[in-house]
Amino acid sequence: MAAFDGYIKATHDFIQSMQGDNCTQTVHRDTVDELRASIPIKIGKGAMQGIIMRGNTFVELGNPLAGSTSHLLWTENCSLIQDGRITLIGPDIDTAEGQSLPFGQILMVGGEALKNQDHEQLQQINIIGDQIEGYMLRSSAENIWARVSRDVASREFTFETLGKAMIALIKSNRPDITSVEILFVTSGKKDVEELADSVSSAKSLGSDILKEAWKERGYDVDCDFDCSTCHDEEVCDDIRDTIVQIKQKERSENAAEEDIIATSNK
Amino acid sequence: MTTEANTAVEEQEAKPLTTEEAKERALARYKVERDYFTENREAAKLMVEIGPEWQLQVQLLDIMLDAKEVIIDCVENDKPFIAGYFCNAPELFHAMDLPWYMIMETPFLAASAPYLEGDTDASVEIGMSQDLCTAIRLPIYYIETGQMPLPTVAIGLLTPCDGTPMLEQVIQHNSAWKDVPIYSCDPPYTSDERAVNYYAEELHRMADHITEHTKHTYSVDRLREVCEESNKTYSLWQEYNELRRNVPCPHGWEIGGAQAFAISQCFVAGDPRCTAWFEKLLEVGEERVAKGIGAIDRPDWEEKIRIFWFDIMPYGWVFEFMPWMEEEFGAVVVMDMFGNFPYTMIDTTSEETMYHSLAKRNLLDAPMIRQARGTAENFAGDIRRIVEDYKIDVVVWPGHMGHKDGAATVGIMRDTCRDLGVPFLHVGLDLYDKRYTSVEEVKEQTADFFRGMGLA
Amino acid sequence: MIVAGIDLGSATGKAVVMKNGEIAGAAVLSSTTNPHNTAELVLNQAIEKAGLSSINQIDNIISTGYGRLNISYAEDNLSEISCHAKGAHWMVPSIRTVIDVGGQDCKVISVSPKGTVLEFKMNDRCAAGTGRFFEAMARALCCGLDGISAMENQGDDPCPISNQCSVFAESEVVTLVNDGIKLEDIIAGINMSVASRLTSMSRRVGIVDEVALTGGCSKNLGLAAALEKKIKTKIVHLPYDPQIAGALGASLFAAERLELRLQNEKEAVNQ
């Protein structure tokens, strides 16, 4: 699906423009099992027991006031994705104890068979739930807001760890995804906002794709206020007429009753 | 109340109420409601020894009653005040030092009050259709019979359902209310940046309207102060909500979304008392999470079913239903529509950023408005997120008779739940009037559902 | 581990015995007037087929169906909805919709990939669309249930049966016979009528491939063929008797609960 190809390119351009001391990149083309074995945390359903309360937070990522953005971009052209590459622009988790870092995350996934109908399920990838030990996405809707626990921080949990965990999870949960690349940005609110701008219309494009996917399932998630375009208009009109008739009948029955009562009282 | 209502209707038909008559009648009803909550508070005070949650209930009732006394004072002494809604950026009202009450507060807060059934019947007797949402019918009834305090300014609501604009029409035609200057923000259909900017302009116009008719205004510093306090409140609420993701959920139906929503939105938004309430709530919740205590702290009770109740709680009969679900099935409402409020934090950098954030919060985040305005994808999106975050076992769409917009979305919700592998229950009831679908029937449907799904 | 599931329906009792995750014995018997007796008879038959000598060799028993509360030696009882879903899913893991047509009720169940229930619709208030309906029709046609079921008896021009109610439908069928309508077309019409009803129920739940037909009426080949035409999808062939799906599901639940109990006991000992 070429819809997001331009945004993937824009993300790579962004990475290119931010190359420097502040930028680290690692590449991991291991198998899923090798990735799992290489990280010091559990991953998978139920990996995280419980929640991370504020008292147990090592670092906060993506507080909306600090700057936050997150997108998942997908393509069927796997050659566009640098599979296994994890890019970090800005400070890493282990150097940010007690801080509230701005957080931008772009997940780029590729699979030859991916199509529009997969878009909704693919967005679900972003909802980590309890699948990464020591990493909790807070329940906020429009952005990415996360916590890393003190416990995993003491086990050298870094963005590389997080990236590897996410790659392993994505590939094992979605075998049709064969390429995964991740960008993390923590360098500053301005950079996160710039990243957000570069992919800003991806979200509305995604909404359009979702609408079409729902239509193919037989649902229209939008409602056109122009009744003349609606194929149920006749049904609506019939119901309205029926309700009017019922009410008229009720009124005349009530009026007749009142007449009878009034007559008998005379 | 019904007898009085009938009398009121007869008199209204004979001769429309004067403003003074409406004022007296409204004050009388408002005081009855105040007295009802005063009794509740006294009862809650007696329970404080049982647990800290009762202390929270007392604090909530204190804040509510203070707000009611202020309105009574305004009416009696001709001071300016507003009648509005929770999603009209009440931070602005507070920054302008203007008391306000929520036009729909009775069905939301007092739905279990003993007089409500009679008032609901009376609303039909004066000619309203029974298939009109009870939450809309009641305020219309109170307005038409002169039992709603007459404000200096009314702020209307044109979303999320057809019922709310109807209320505004009633106001404009009512003999006592027709001279109350009313402003309703125009909600755009889309949810993009253009929509948010437009709504921010609407909020500006709303503020100007209030100033014009009350002579009250705000300073940017005061607005910032209120918004920062509001941010603190919401941060704490977010924190508390995440406690409810824990297994077991630290609280059940009795404390959580409904109270949090009321405290933060319905009385005084951006007030330090609200923040203090949330701090206490969080403290209590954190302790329960640390000790692994669930909704019912008893060794023979276990949380078995985690529910996402995708609507307002059934305020009219909540005491008869929710405790039963918890006791009988270990079924806990972990999250509900009004508890789930992933609010935008207000950027207090400048007046414009504050308006922008308030617009975003009130257009995109406020419950019901969030789901029912615009594309139905919001229903599906919330389900997808909440099921995962809160480890939901069952999604319940209560099917409130007034939420016909949501009824049209049932197929989408059901298919979303199917994709997630989570059972979906659609009931069909009135959240305020248990005569619509009896509590026994709802219990039977729920029990059959839980058993049928193998959850019990 | 040896477990058993008992499904006590209105018309038949079913039992399945599983040894280490495999079906070791299964039995289906007509219900007696006493559910406890029915349970004992059918379970004993299944035990015998499993090569066991006594109920005491069974580690855990779960009951389901209308009579499930009457089995005192069952550890627990569960709704037949979840049991049918689980049983059918175990037989063919790709099943996502189960249409169960029993003696006195019919149900449609939407099944998740894990075999859990996502949604269901049940008709247990009325005989239409159930085994009782077919019995009434067989009586009216004097042909027996086998007669209604056999494919060679399905006419090419099904005569629509307009009445949903089995009482009125019986009269209607008698009238059709008297009018000289071909028996095969009436039979096809009866099966089509039930298939229509089941299709309406299924659409309310949502028909998702693959679709399985269970319950006693699943053996009605004419019904299966009519249903396939109506829902426009092939009904999957189950590798075991479809009538035992509920009992099988109950035995699977028995195994799960036993495992959980043993695990909890082990953890308690370790502490």
Side-chain angles (χ1 to χ4, degrees):
Chain A
M1 174 68 215
F4 296 107
D5 288 1
Y7 296 103
I8 292 172
K9 186 179 178 305
T11 305
H12 286 151
D13 289 343
F14 176 87
I15 293 171
Q16 192 63 32
S17 72
M18 301 295 279
Q19 293 284 353
D21 291 338
N22 217 7
C23 175
T24 52
Q25 284 183 325
T26 53
V27 180
H28 308 275
R29 297 227 169 89
D30 315 279
T31 62
V32 168
D33 288 337
E34 283 165 351
L35 280 170
R36 276 179 195 270
S38 71
I39 49 182
I41 55 165
K42 289 186 221 151
I43 60 172
K45 211 84 182 114
M48 184 154 100
Q49 296 290 313
I51 54 169
I52 302 174
M53 293 201 277
R54 50 189 175 163
N56 191 26
T57 301
F58 181 81
V59 67
E60 180 183 68
L61 305 169
N63 182 311
L65 294 176
S68 172
T69 192
S70 169
H71 290 277
L72 185 142
L73 308 170
W74 58 270
T75 181
E76 59 193 9
N77 183 356
C78 297
S79 67
L80 293 178
I81 311 278
Q82 302 285 332
D83 182 37
R85 186 167 80 172
I86 301 166
T87 304
L88 169 64
I89 298 166
D92 208 333
I93 289 167
D94 54 355
T95 63
E97 183 177 0
Q99 292 181 46
S100 177
L101 294 178
F103 190 37
Q105 174 183 292
I106 306 288
L107 255 176
M108 292 165 276
V109 302
E112 280 173 7
L114 293 181
K115 50 196 180 311
N116 277 359
Q117 285 80 358
D118 297 315
H119 182 80
E120 187 184 333
Q121 300 270 357
L122 288 171
Q123 297 309 306
Q124 198 75 8
I125 291 174
N126 269 324
I127 308 175
I128 301 276
D130 62 357
Q131 297 185 86
I132 298 179
E133 186 190 6
Y135 181 72
M136 180 177 93
L137 280 187
R138 302 195 69 187
S139 298
S140 77
E142 302 294 322
N143 46 42
I144 185 167
W145 192 354
R147 281 183 174 162
V148 176
S149 75
R150 292 189 178 286
D151 174 45
V152 300
S154 69
R155 287 186 256 155
E156 294 170 10
F157 183 98
T158 61
F159 276 108
E160 188 182 351
T161 314
L162 177 61
K164 284 160 85 175
M166 288 170 75
I167 293 170
L169 278 172
I170 291 168
K171 287 186 173 179
S172 61
N173 292 339
R174 292 286 309 230
D176 54 344
I177 292 174
T178 53
S179 310
V180 181
E181 181 184 352
I182 311 175
L183 165 65
F184 298 117
V185 177
T186 58
S187 46
K189 189 174 181 180
K190 206 157 153 286
D191 291 341
V192 169
E193 282 170 353
E194 192 186 321
L195 176 65
D197 284 342
S198 71
V199 293
S200 61
S201 49
K203 193 178 164 205
S204 65
L205 177 61
S207 290
D208 291 341
I209 292 173
L210 263 181
K211 277 182 207 170
E212 288 308 311
W214 276 113
K215 274 202 178 128
E216 285 187 27
R217 291 168 78 161
Y219 298 105
D220 195 346
V221 295
D222 248 337
C223 181
D224 196 332
F225 288 120
D226 179 4
C227 289
S228 64
T229 64
C230 176
H231 58 79
D232 290 326
E233 191 193 4
E234 268 181 43
V235 175
C236 236
D237 289 342
D238 282 348
I239 289 172
R240 212 163 272 146
D241 287 341
T242 306
I243 290 173
V244 166
Q245 283 167 27
I246 289 171
K247 286 188 174 166
Q248 279 173 346
K249 191 173 167 221
E250 263 174 26
R251 269 190 231 119
S252 49
E253 278 169 6
N254 287 344
E257 251 180 59
E258 277 166 23
D259 281 343
I260 291 169
I261 292 168
T263 310
S264 64
N265 282 345
K266 277 188 187 160
Chain B
M1 270 284 188
T2 305
T3 310
E4 285 175 22
N6 278 335
T7 311
V9 168
E10 283 158 14
E11 285 174 3
Q12 177 86 340
E13 283 170 355
K15 187 184 89 172
L17 288 170
T18 64
T19 304
E20 201 53 41
E21 284 164 342
K23 177 176 163 180
E24 287 310 315
R25 186 170 285 172
L27 213 48
R29 185 194 71 84
Y30 210 68
K31 285 179 177 175
V32 165
E33 194 150 292
R34 179 218 38 208
D35 294 344
Y36 167 71
F37 282 110
T38 304
E39 277 175 28
N40 283 351
R41 183 181 56 184
E42 296 315 303
K45 278 180 179 170
L46 297 173
M47 310 283 270
V48 163
E49 295 300 317
I50 295 178
E53 284 78 9
W54 283 103
Q55 200 181 334
L56 285 163
Q57 300 281 24
V58 170
Q59 273 179 273
L60 183 156
L61 288 161
D62 281 341
I63 295 173
M64 184 200 293
L65 286 164
D66 279 349
K68 284 196 176 296
E69 291 294 352
V70 166
I71 296 295
I72 290 169
D73 176 57
C74 287
V75 173
E76 286 175 339
N77 297 299
D78 293 317
K79 294 177 184 172
F81 66 101
I82 297 171
Y85 294 87
F86 58 89
C87 36
N88 290 141
E91 284 84 358
L92 282 166
F93 307 157
H94 190 40
M96 291 180 171
D97 196 27
L98 274 169
W100 75 286
Y101 73 89
M102 194 167 82
I103 290 176
M104 279 198 226
E105 68 178 9
T106 296
F108 270 62
L109 304 175
S112 295
Y115 50 79
L116 219 74
E117 201 171 281
D119 288 356
T120 307
D121 288 343
S123 71
V124 175
E125 283 164 28
I126 67 166
M128 273 187 272
S129 169
Q130 272 179 307
D131 72 346
L132 176 59
C133 176
T134 314
I136 304 282
R137 237 190 296 153
L138 278 167
I140 292 178
Y141 163 69
Y142 291 138
I143 290 170
E144 288 289 88
T145 54
Q147 296 185 74
M148 186 81 88
L150 209 59
T152 317
V153 158
I155 301 297
L157 190 64
L158 300 177
T159 180
C161 58
D162 290 343
T164 42
M166 197 186 300
L167 229 168
E168 288 20 292
Q169 288 171 317
V170 164
I171 287 172
Q172 290 182 311
H173 291 94
N174 180 273
S175 57
W177 280 67
K178 64 178 171 44
D179 295 322
V180 174
I182 180 168
Y183 187 87
S184 302
C185 291
D186 175 29
Y189 180 70
T190 58
S191 303
D192 51 20
E193 192 58 22
R194 187 172 160 237
V196 173
N197 288 334
Y198 175 75
Y199 204 64
E201 289 302 313
E202 281 292 289
L203 288 178
H204 269 294
R205 283 186 272 272
M206 181 189 84
D208 291 343
H209 172 86
I210 294 171
T211 299
E212 184 189 340
H213 295 286
T214 64
K215 307 299 175 223
H216 278 236
T217 185
Y218 61 84
S219 69
V220 174
D221 285 341
R222 175 63 183 146
L223 180 60
R224 181 175 290 116
E225 194 185 331
V226 168
C227 288
E228 279 170 358
E229 193 66 44
S230 182
N231 278 347
K232 280 186 207 163
T233 305
Y234 286 122
S235 292
L236 292 166
W237 187 358
Q238 166 112 31
E239 195 70 47
Y240 173 74
N241 265 1
E242 270 137 25
L243 298 183
R244 293 186 80 99
R245 289 166 62 168
N246 194 57
V247 178
C249 179
H251 287 127
W253 70 275
E254 277 184 286
I255 202 94
Q259 291 84 2
F261 167 75
I263 286 271
S264 61
Q265 289 285 289
C266 298
F267 312 125
V268 198
D271 185 294
R273 288 176 301 166
C274 306
T275 310
W277 187 88
F278 276 93
E279 271 165 358
K280 182 70 190 170
L281 175 70
L282 193 52
E283 182 191 306
V284 170
E286 281 178 336
E287 195 182 327
R288 286 176 85 93
V289 166
K291 291 179 179 170
I293 300 172
I296 295 180
D297 186 9
R298 239 174 40 217
D300 63 329
W301 183 88
E302 191 192 336
E303 177 190 282
K304 292 180 185 156
I305 305 171
R306 293 169 69 88
I307 295 174
F308 173 35
W309 182 273
F310 203 6
D311 211 317
I312 305 167
M313 296 290 254
Y315 293 129
W317 35 277
V318 69
F319 298 109
E320 296 165 72
F321 180 68
M322 292 293 172
W324 166 84
M325 237 188 359
E326 286 182 1
E327 287 284 359
E328 187 74 19
F329 294 104
V332 178
V333 174
V334 168
M335 188 45 60
D336 64 287
M337 183 192 270
F338 273 68
N340 176 55
F341 210 119
Y343 288 94
T344 301
M345 286 295 156
I346 304 169
D347 181 349
T348 56
T349 308
S350 69
E351 188 179 4
E352 286 323 301
T353 60
M354 284 190 275
Y355 267 90
H356 185 271
S357 302
L358 283 169
K360 213 171 167 194
R361 183 188 275 189
N362 288 278
L363 191 66
L364 305 184
D365 302 340
M368 271 200 303
I369 283 95
R370 174 182 172 69
Q371 289 82 21
R373 185 197 63 84
T375 171
E377 169 56 27
N378 288 337
F379 280 96
D382 278 3
I383 287 175
R384 282 198 291 273
R385 186 62 190 259
I386 290 168
V387 160
E388 192 63 49
D389 279 358
Y390 289 87
K391 296 192 170 71
I392 297 296
D393 297 312
V394 169
V395 175
V396 178
W397 170 253
H400 173 53
M401 49 73 89
H403 286 161
K404 297 172 180 71
D405 50 326
T409 322
V410 163
I412 292 171
M413 287 191 271
R414 189 189 70 197
D415 272 24
T416 302
C417 286
R418 182 162 297 161
D419 293 344
L420 294 168
V422 171
F424 174 72
L425 172 62
H426 172 203
V427 185
L429 46 80
D430 185 328
L431 294 166
Y432 308 97
D433 190 348
K434 63 187 174 190
R435 296 166 300 173
Y436 187 91
T437 304
S438 70
V439 181
E440 281 316 306
E441 208 178 313
V442 178
K443 282 181 178 176
E444 197 185 314
Q445 276 193 50
T446 309
D448 282 348
F449 179 83
F450 286 157
R451 291 187 185 117
M453 295 300 167
L455 296 167
Chain C
M1 184 194 292
I2 303 176
V3 293
I6 305 173
D7 178 3
L8 286 187
S10 58
T12 54
K14 287 78 69 176
V16 166
V17 173
M18 294 188 86
K19 274 188 206 168
N20 300 325
E22 294 298 327
I23 297 177
V28 180
L29 291 176
S30 293
S31 291
T32 68
T33 50
N34 184 322
H36 207 271
N37 282 349
T38 308
E40 202 175 312
L41 284 167
V42 75
L43 181 60
N44 281 339
Q45 209 176 89
I47 284 171
E48 202 183 311
K49 287 186 182 178
L52 304 173
S53 54
S54 149
I55 192 177
N56 296 328
Q57 291 173 276
I58 299 179
D59 300 313
N60 200 19
I61 301 175
I62 297 276
S63 62
T64 186
Y66 281 112
R68 66 180 187 260
L69 296 172
N70 295 297
I71 307 174
S72 54
Y73 46 82
E75 189 223 64
D76 204 351
N77 66 84
L78 295 172
S79 154
E80 63 267 32
I81 307 282
S82 49
C83 289
H84 271 272
K86 200 167 190 66
H89 181 264
W90 184 89
M91 291 192 206
V92 178
S94 57
I95 279 169
R96 296 292 175 263
T97 311
V98 174
I99 302 174
D100 178 67
V101 189
Q104 273 185 185
D105 70 26
C106 55
K107 40 193 170 285
V108 181
I109 309 167
S110 179
V111 184
S112 78
K114 290 180 186 163
T116 55
V117 177
L118 291 175
E119 198 172 345
F120 69 93
K121 284 278 177 285
M122 186 157 155
N123 162 38
D124 61 350
R125 309 279 155 120
C126 156
T130 72
R132 287 280 179 263
F133 181 82
F134 287 116
E135 281 174 10
M137 297 301 109
R139 225 175 12 246
L141 293 172
C142 304
C143 69
L145 287 172
D146 289 343
I148 294 200
S149 161
M151 280 309 294
E152 58 267 26
N153 289 345
Q154 310 303 314
D156 295 324
D157 189 18
C159 177
I161 310 296
S162 57
N163 278 294
Q164 294 281 350
C165 171
S166 56
V167 173
F168 295 128
E170 198 173 342
S171 311
E172 188 179 346
V173 160
V174 169
T175 306
L176 289 171
V177 168
N178 290 340
D179 286 349
I181 306 293
K182 269 169 63 182
L183 192 64
E184 290 81 4
D185 290 342
I186 298 174
I187 288 173
I190 287 166
N191 283 322
M192 194 58 78
S193 147
V194 174
S196 294
R197 190 183 174 90
L198 292 171
T199 303
S200 301
M201 272 176 72
S202 303
R203 286 207 180 115
R204 287 170 66 196
V205 171
I207 301 168
V208 178
D209 279 342
E210 302 220 87
V211 180
L213 186 58
T214 63
C217 298
S218 62
K219 293 169 183 174
N220 178 342
L221 301 175
L223 172 65
L227 191 54
E228 278 182 344
K229 270 195 199 135
K230 281 281 178 185
I231 61 175
K232 296 187 175 60
T233 195
K234 215 114 183 67
I235 289 175
V236 75
H237 171 74
L238 296 175
Y240 302 90
D241 181 354
Q243 211 170 353
I244 65 165
L248 173 60
S251 68
L252 289 165
F253 274 119
E256 271 177 22
R257 290 189 176 200
L258 179 61
E259 268 176 35
L260 188 61
R261 196 172 73 217
L262 292 173
Q263 198 179 337
N264 289 341
E265 282 167 8
K266 195 173 163 191
E267 278 168 14
V269 163
N270 287 342
Q271 276 169 9

